[in-house]
Amino acid sequence: MKECLIHENEKISVIMGIYNCAATLPEAIDSILNQTYKNWELILCDDGSVDDTYQVAKRYADDYPDKIILIRNETNRKLAYSLNRCLEYATGDFIARMDGDDISLPVRFEKQLFFLKEHPEYDLVGCAMQRFDAEGFSDIIYAEAEPDYYALRNNNPFFHPTILARKVVFDGLGGYTVVDRTARSEDYDLWFRFYHAGFQGCNLQEALYLIREDMAAIRRRTFKTRWGAFKTTLFGFKLLGYPRWWIIKPAVVTAFKSIVPYKAIELYRKWQKRSARQK
């Protein structure tokens, strides 16, 4: 390993908004504690949880006072607001994301930081993710290796919880946008502004992140949140100067997803999981 990583001079600030995830939070935090790269701080913001999430987080913060910072919103303010609060406490040279129901593999930070140190032309690096649930692992999902300025025409260029970014990215963008349209699409808005500011990112084609399969999340994708995401698409396409007719595809996709029954989506995901586990 290169000397810059042996001495661990660069500090990583891990920002995590947590909400009603008491049952899964220990695995998530333990995966950070088990990282091979040790120069990190974990900043947790409880977003008004009504279960034992805050109590679980507090036990960890009490056990690791030099590594874990815990803050709390009095009411539920959504993820963008919570992550901005985390950023206020961040002292690291790099910012990493993590969700309270997922798992980072032990070498995630080491490999991502090594990549950014070796490739100064990139400001951010993500990675592939592998889905899992109580029955085991299923499929691996990949983001485009080198998404460019036009990547947002079709898809999110990065999986939000997998990213490691230079702090200058969040400083330059002023953090996340906190408005109604970014509820559940705060990352989508971030990527539009990321490319508009001239930043560049890359994705490692290795699954360094395990994402928990949450079928309940499908039901949280309401018409309101889908409409908000579409308004962000309108905002972003205009910001990046995309041709106006490009908006036709996301408009059709939004309309289609809004009318497809939740049960049909759940059945499709179950079929995908069975297929992945049979390979």
Side-chain angles (χ1 to χ4, degrees):
M1 189 59 65
K2 293 293 182 68
E3 187 173 345
C4 64
L5 290 189
I6 293 174
H7 292 299
E8 299 189 341
N9 293 324
E10 289 82 15
K11 185 177 184 179
I12 297 173
S13 294
V14 188
I15 58 174
M16 185 191 301
I18 51 177
Y19 177 69
N20 289 352
C21 56
T24 61
L25 187 58
E27 277 189 295
I29 296 178
D30 286 343
S31 77
I32 302 300
L33 291 170
N34 292 331
Q35 289 294 303
T36 55
Y37 189 84
K38 300 299 184 182
N39 189 3
W40 53 262
E41 63 181 0
L42 173 59
I43 307 165
L44 303 166
C45 181
D46 179 73
D47 193 21
S49 296
V50 295
D51 66 356
D52 291 332
T53 295
Y54 182 80
Q55 287 72 25
V56 172
K58 190 174 187 307
R59 286 196 292 271
Y60 275 93
D62 289 343
D63 289 342
Y64 300 92
D66 59 332
K67 300 291 283 184
I68 299 177
I69 300 168
L70 176 61
I71 56 180
R72 190 179 197 180
N73 299 333
E74 292 302 319
T75 59
N76 182 254
R77 301 294 299 273
K78 306 302 180 187
L79 185 57
Y81 180 89
S82 298
L83 294 179
N84 280 347
R85 288 206 66 201
C86 291
L87 288 170
E88 292 175 6
Y89 291 81
T91 62
D93 308 288
F94 295 82
I95 304 294
R97 275 282 292 115
M98 176 73 189
D99 281 340
D101 49 2
D102 299 334
I103 296 171
S104 288
L105 295 189
V107 295
R108 177 194 162 191
F109 292 165
E110 180 179 346
K111 289 192 172 185
Q112 288 184 308
L113 182 57
F114 180 77
F115 177 87
L116 288 180
K117 294 297 291 182
E118 288 289 288
H119 297 87
E121 69 272 23
Y122 290 114
D123 306 289
L124 175 152
V125 62
C127 66
M129 306 189 296
Q130 184 166 24
R131 292 186 174 109
F132 76 102
D133 60 16
E135 297 177 3
F137 298 104
S138 59
D139 52 325
I140 296 175
I141 50 178
Y142 297 89
E144 185 179 350
E146 297 183 42
D148 62 14
Y149 189 87
Y150 298 101
L152 282 150
R153 177 186 179 183
N154 297 308
N155 296 296
N156 264 343
F158 312 103
F159 298 133
H160 188 205
T162 74
I163 64 166
L164 176 71
R166 303 183 195 277
K167 191 171 184 292
V168 66
V169 171
F170 287 94
D171 290 342
L173 299 178
Y176 294 86
T177 302
V178 183
V179 293
D180 287 344
R181 67 172 172 79
T182 60
R184 301 192 64 77
S185 61
E186 65 290 321
D187 54 332
Y188 194 34
D189 174 88
L190 186 72
W191 308 141
F192 281 119
R193 295 186 293 117
F194 176 86
Y195 281 108
H196 182 255
F199 293 120
Q200 298 295 323
C202 187
N203 289 297
L204 302 181
Q205 300 299 290
E206 182 178 359
L208 301 173
Y209 192 91
L210 306 180
I211 182 168
R212 193 179 301 271
E213 188 80 65
D214 181 9
M215 301 306 290
I218 295 174
R219 297 183 178 274
R220 293 196 290 269
R221 291 286 180 180
T222 64
F223 175 78
K224 181 179 179 180
T225 60
R226 292 192 189 283
W227 174 242
F230 180 67
K231 288 196 291 185
T232 294
T233 302
L234 292 172
F235 161 81
F237 277 32
K238 182 178 180 180
L239 183 69
L240 297 186
Y242 288 177
R244 291 183 179 180
W245 64 271
W246 281 10
I247 202 65
I248 295 174
K249 179 180 177 180
V252 172
V253 171
T254 299
F256 177 76
K257 288 183 176 180
S258 297
I259 63 175
V260 173
Y262 292 127
K263 189 64 177 178
I265 300 175
E266 291 174 356
L267 289 173
Y268 176 68
R269 274 302 302 139
K270 288 179 181 179
W271 174 80
Q272 281 186 315
K273 287 192 289 185
R274 283 197 302 269
S275 298
R277 287 167 180 160
Q278 288 171 359
K279 291 181 179 179

